[in-house]
Amino acid sequence: MVGVFIVVATICYCVGAVGYLVYLFRDWEAIHRACLAVLAAGAIFQGVALGVRSFQVGHLAATSSQEAMAFFAWILVLIYLLVQVRLNLRILGSFVAPLAVVFMLTSSLLPDREVPTATIFQSMWLILHVVTLFLANALYALAFSAGIMYLLQERNIKRKSFGFLYPRLPSLDRLDRINYFCLMVGFPLMTLGLLAGFAYAGTVWRSPWNWDPKEVFAVITWFIYAVLLHERLAVGWRGRRAALLAIFGFSAVLVTFLGVNLFFEGHHTVFVK
Amino acid sequence: MKSTMGHIVLLGMNHKTASVELREQLALVCSNQANPVQLFPYLGSVKELFFLSTCNRVEILFTCQNYEDAMGEVKALLKTHLGVSSACLGQFEANFYIHKDEAAVRHLFRVASSLDSMVVGEPQILGQIKKAYREAVDHRTVGVILNRLLHKAFSVAKRVRSETMIGSYAVSISYAAVELARKIFGELASKRVLLIGAGEMAELAAEHFLAQGVCHMVVANRTLERALELARRFRAETTAFEHLPDALSEADIVLTSTGSPIPLLTYQDVKSRMRKRRNKPLFFIDIAVPRDVEQKVNEIDNVYLYDIDDLQGVIELNREERQKEAARAEHIILEEALKFHDWLRTLDVVPTIIALREKADRIRKKEMRKTLAQLPSLGERERQAIEVLTESIVGKLLHDPIVFLKKKAGRESKQVFVDHTQQLFNLNEDGGLPSSSGCNQK
């Protein structure tokens, strides 16, 4: 049943993504509402699947690479739905929904391996660590999408040649605000997540810092976002540079999140195997 | 008929054919020198001359018998006026368009109706043409044809304005600027507009920004009185013109339209203020020609610079909406141009004589019918006699004017007499002229 629900959720996301891509070209209110509903339905299906599976295995089902990717897609869609309700920036869906689909599909391509539960998976620190970091990463993904939109829109305005996207994309100020919002919420979450991770590592491996590749990359990523936040608050960085850094930061997130999972050996390998 | 009538020729360039740089050069020359129509006496082949120069266009309208000679003279006039060498003029010529006869008439009508404007439907152009026309009248460079043509242009413009929506469209420089500002800033209420200098267009844009909810406006002007006047009008503050770059740290949207020949705001001026602004976006709308803000300013992060040529590109976006109205306006213009052409054809002696005879005969026949209808008892002989009587009265009455016109046919001044004859007998207002188009004038 869990597998069926995941497939249904994946289909929902795909339909939502295609719909939002159409919405990018055609300003039809109905498409937007349909897509939003489909994405929400997908999120519910996946949420149920996740709950059932977590109950079955006895821990939060976001440990194997496959589970983690699907979990990330779910968080991304949830965050998008929340931001959509709050900020009502529809066109963001055209950028976020395909991203969620990419994660969902990648997840379905990876081997489905059920990780047997163990006592180390049942720490509160771990759950805090995973949930906060995934939330932060989803927010960064949103900032990444907004960053791409910003660069596209800024190009339109700076070069004075207006592509078909010009009327569809929101104002630069709005996109910059989203970047700022995601950073302001995402960064504390990320910090909290990392601290929880260190605390957890301290309880499991006796030392909070083990030169694990994932730890190293996570700290590098944290520094990138710390720089962005600092420049924003202290110097007033904004606009193109902030967008570029948000895009760069998210690529670092991807390296930390996926690259290290797939290509490096380390403590985290315990979870993703 | 063209061979005896001569030609109407229009030589010009506008924002479509010439770059801002070239138009800047022209605007500079025009502000320094007097209207070139005062050189009219030196032009032998040009019979009538009209010169219009605005910041977006130059139009030289003239009539002549010999096209090549006259064109040579007008180009020489332009060369003297611009103070450029022949080589440079060659460069200029690539930017010029030349319309002849009907095409020239149509073009003038389009310009006057603001269809050819950068901001289609903007109202200033008609006033500018009227002013140029007054100057031409003062210098006595316009005669029968151009007088008629320009008056016709005014009435065509009026017709287009009242019968189409062209004028009422908010599609204008100011509208385009506000839309762009929205794409940069989102909402405008909390933004600060700095208005530097005062041209009609900048004031229009400022009004538009106020109407769109901008609350804070600052005015800078070289003369304090003008600044105060504008400040009163826009409920704005004033700032010292001398410390213009410092005002940048407060402003978000800068509207400039001064007559300054050199840029007021340079790359360094803006660049050095950006840090103090904490990189908040800055949007320059430079309506001035020559430009007030250095072009390079656009390269600075979070700074956007649009001059009038750039705004043109934005206006293109809304073009489709206006196309239907524009088509209607074009139809009016075509119709009026045809009518004008008909009138022009009659400016020769022969058609006028024919028209005169036709009108007299028409009146005669109408009166005959009325009279005969009241006298049914008359026999065929009496009818014949009355017919001959009226014919000979009309013929005798018209004999002298016709002889007079024929005598003048070979003279330069014939157009004046032909025109007077037509006005005296009201030949062209009631469809009395042999006309090729079916539309009657009112």
Side-chain angles (χ1 to χ4, degrees):
Chain A
M1 189 193 79
V2 170
V4 174
F5 271 37
I6 290 287
V7 170
V8 171
T10 310
I11 291 171
C12 283
Y13 294 165
C14 285
V15 170
V18 170
Y20 263 123
L21 285 180
V22 174
Y23 185 66
L24 191 60
F25 294 89
R26 294 268 179 277
D27 188 5
W28 291 332
E29 168 85 20
I31 293 191
H32 163 70
R33 260 184 284 164
C35 289
L36 204 63
V38 167
L39 284 183
I44 291 168
F45 274 110
Q46 200 184 352
V48 171
L50 189 76
V52 171
R53 186 161 178 140
S54 299
F55 181 75
Q56 281 170 353
V57 295
H59 61 258
L60 185 62
T63 48
S64 76
S65 275
Q66 188 234 9
E67 286 173 343
M69 302 266 269
F71 186 64
F72 182 66
W74 185 62
I75 295 271
L76 192 56
V77 170
L78 281 187
I79 289 277
Y80 167 69
L81 293 174
L82 280 177
V83 168
Q84 180 56 49
V85 169
R86 242 190 91 88
L87 299 177
N88 191 26
L89 184 60
R90 298 161 173 199
I91 212 75
L92 198 58
S94 308
F95 292 78
V96 174
L99 205 61
V101 168
V102 168
F103 278 97
M104 262 329 245
L105 291 181
T106 319
S107 151
S108 66
L109 290 178
L110 291 174
D112 181 13
R113 216 182 285 125
E114 217 168 271
V115 183
T117 192
T119 42
I120 59 163
F121 291 152
Q122 281 161 349
S123 160
M124 270 317 288
W125 287 121
L126 182 63
I127 292 174
L128 187 65
H129 171 71
V130 169
V131 170
T132 52
L133 278 183
F134 273 55
L135 279 173
N137 286 354
L139 284 164
Y140 289 159
L142 236 56
F144 164 82
S145 305
I148 287 181
M149 287 159 79
Y150 186 95
L151 291 185
L152 287 174
Q153 186 71 314
E154 208 228 13
R155 206 180 130 97
N156 277 330
I157 295 177
K158 261 286 196 260
R159 299 221 174 155
K160 297 156 189 176
S161 60
F162 302 96
F164 72 95
L165 276 179
Y166 172 73
R168 303 289 293 126
L169 290 174
S171 69
L172 293 179
D173 180 71
R174 190 116 189 253
L175 291 168
D176 196 54
R177 272 171 206 269
I178 290 179
N179 181 310
Y180 184 66
F181 169 81
C182 291
L183 187 68
M184 285 306 280
V185 181
F187 190 75
L189 280 172
M190 186 191 196
T191 312
L192 190 64
L194 288 184
L195 289 177
F198 290 137
Y200 177 64
T203 62
V204 181
W205 295 299
R206 299 240 177 74
S207 157
W209 181 258
N210 303 288
W211 291 104
D212 177 270
K214 195 152 191 156
E215 286 174 3
V216 177
F217 275 101
V219 170
I220 292 174
T221 310
W222 185 84
F223 266 110
I224 292 173
Y225 282 104
V227 166
L228 177 54
L229 191 65
H230 174 264
E231 293 299 309
R232 255 190 181 282
L233 295 179
V235 189
W237 259 32
R238 67 177 76 221
R240 201 170 64 92
R241 286 192 204 184
L244 281 173
L245 209 55
I247 291 170
F248 178 63
F250 188 65
S251 13
V253 166
L254 287 183
V255 170
T256 313
F257 178 43
L258 300 177
V260 177
N261 273 12
L262 302 176
F263 305 113
F264 287 94
E265 290 283 313
H267 277 100
H268 273 91
T269 327
V270 174
F271 303 99
V272 295
K273 269 234 168 91
Chain B
M1 198 159 290
K2 289 273 159 60
S3 57
T4 58
M5 283 309 304
H7 297 287
I8 300 176
V9 184
L10 189 143
L11 173 77
M13 60 170 203
N14 60 18
H15 55 94
K16 287 176 201 149
T17 63
S19 61
V20 165
E21 287 82 5
L22 181 57
R23 280 178 276 138
E24 277 175 7
Q25 225 169 322
L26 266 168
L28 264 183
V29 170
C30 292
S31 64
N32 294 338
Q33 294 183 13
N35 195 319
V37 291
Q38 64 187 19
L39 296 173
F40 177 66
Y42 301 104
L43 308 177
S45 302
V46 176
K47 292 168 86 182
E48 298 178 44
L49 179 68
F50 168 79
F51 181 88
L52 169 74
S53 167
T54 74
C55 65
N56 279 329
R57 65 175 65 251
V58 173
E59 310 275 355
I60 303 168
L61 185 66
F62 61 94
T63 61
C64 60
Q65 284 294 338
N66 184 324
Y67 173 72
E68 276 77 26
D69 290 359
M71 189 49 99
E73 285 179 3
V74 167
K75 279 181 182 165
L77 169 80
L78 202 60
K79 202 170 76 182
T80 326
H81 176 62
L82 298 175
V84 296
S85 64
S86 303
C88 267
L89 192 69
Q91 236 176 24
F92 272 31
E93 270 177 41
N95 294 298
F96 277 91
Y97 45 78
I98 296 169
H99 296 300
K100 267 173 81 178
D101 299 320
E102 268 193 78
V105 172
R106 269 205 308 276
H107 182 80
L108 180 74
F109 287 176
R110 295 191 77 242
V111 170
S113 316
S114 190
L115 278 179
D116 198 50
S117 297
M118 172 181 279
V119 183
V120 172
E122 57 101 2
Q124 283 102 333
I125 184 68
L126 191 59
Q128 286 160 340
I129 294 180
K130 281 183 174 164
K131 188 165 158 269
Y133 173 63
R134 267 197 299 278
E135 278 178 34
V137 169
D138 287 347
H139 287 94
R140 297 171 186 281
T141 68
V142 286
V144 174
I145 295 180
L146 290 195
N147 259 326
R148 172 87 179 193
L149 179 55
L150 283 157
H151 278 292
K152 200 75 205 164
F154 302 151
S155 72
V156 170
K158 217 168 157 186
R159 222 188 121 186
V160 166
R161 198 157 291 281
S162 61
E163 290 179 25
T164 72
M165 306 279 281
I166 284 286
S168 69
Y169 271 116
V171 186
S172 61
I173 289 282
S174 47
Y175 180 78
V178 170
E179 281 309 295
L180 264 169
R182 275 196 208 288
K183 279 293 183 193
I184 295 170
F185 297 107
E187 52 85 44
L188 298 176
S190 62
K191 300 294 172 268
R192 217 176 161 88
V193 174
L194 172 61
L195 176 64
I196 305 174
E200 287 170 35
M201 214 55 203
E203 287 172 36
L204 209 68
E207 267 167 25
H208 209 87
F209 271 110
L210 281 181
Q212 294 303 311
V214 169
C215 305
H216 312 287
M217 187 168 288
V218 184
V219 178
N221 204 290
R222 221 180 277 275
T223 57
L224 188 63
E225 289 130 28
R226 186 91 176 94
L228 287 173
E229 183 199 322
L230 283 171
R232 253 199 315 279
R233 207 172 114 205
F234 295 129
R235 293 186 310 277
E237 302 156 33
T238 58
T239 185
F241 195 80
E242 293 71 34
H243 304 297
L244 212 44
D246 292 322
L248 289 183
S249 22
E250 302 280 296
D252 297 297
I253 298 161
V254 182
L255 276 166
T256 67
S257 110
T258 74
S260 164
I262 50 156
L264 294 171
L265 295 166
T266 63
Y267 180 80
Q268 266 314 316
D269 287 337
V270 182
K271 179 94 183 157
S272 57
R273 262 79 186 183
M274 279 315 278
R275 201 175 168 87
K276 202 176 162 203
R277 290 180 55 79
R278 294 179 59 82
N279 287 309
K280 274 190 304 183
L282 192 53
F283 180 27
F284 288 98
I285 303 155
D286 188 355
I287 301 173
V289 177
R291 284 177 289 210
D292 284 338
V293 186
E294 242 180 23
Q295 198 63 6
K296 240 175 88 186
V297 163
N298 194 42
E299 290 163 21
I300 303 170
D301 251 0
N302 297 314
V303 176
Y304 308 91
L305 167 62
Y306 274 71
D307 62 31
I308 41 177
D309 268 9
D310 301 328
L311 287 170
Q312 158 96 36
V314 185
I315 293 167
E316 292 287 325
L317 284 180
N318 310 323
R319 173 149 281 185
E320 271 173 39
E321 299 164 25
R322 298 193 322 270
Q323 232 140 34
K324 227 175 74 189
E325 291 301 314
R328 287 179 57 199
E330 296 284 359
H331 182 77
I332 294 174
I333 283 167
L334 206 65
E335 193 184 313
E336 296 287 347
L338 271 176
K339 276 190 211 166
F340 183 79
H341 187 66
D342 286 340
W343 173 79
L344 205 58
R345 286 196 320 133
T346 65
L347 257 197
D348 220 353
V349 168
V350 178
T352 308
I353 291 172
I354 294 173
L356 192 55
R357 281 197 175 130
E358 277 181 357
K359 177 163 184 176
D361 201 46
R362 214 171 39 246
I363 295 171
R364 185 187 67 83
K365 280 186 177 141
K366 199 172 151 198
E367 296 307 315
M368 277 286 290
R369 263 201 309 279
K370 268 200 230 159
T371 307
L372 292 181
Q374 286 169 355
L375 301 167
S377 58
L378 286 184
E380 193 52 35
R381 261 193 74 210
E382 286 91 344
R383 280 172 191 254
Q384 283 288 342
I386 295 175
E387 189 91 36
V388 171
L389 169 72
T390 51
E391 267 173 11
S392 87
I393 289 175
V394 166
K396 292 243 158 81
L397 202 57
L398 289 183
H399 179 258
D400 284 341
I402 288 172
V403 168
F404 176 81
L405 279 175
K406 280 183 177 164
K407 210 165 69 192
K408 298 291 179 191
R411 306 247 180 116
E412 282 286 294
S413 54
K414 70 169 179 198
Q415 282 169 359
V416 176
F417 296 112
V418 166
D419 189 49
H420 282 172
T421 308
Q422 292 185 1
Q423 288 186 27
L424 211 54
F425 290 98
N426 196 19
L427 292 183
N428 43 20
E429 294 303 318
D430 58 2
L433 284 171
S435 155
S436 65
S437 80
C439 26
N440 284 324
Q441 294 184 336
K442 275 163 207 142

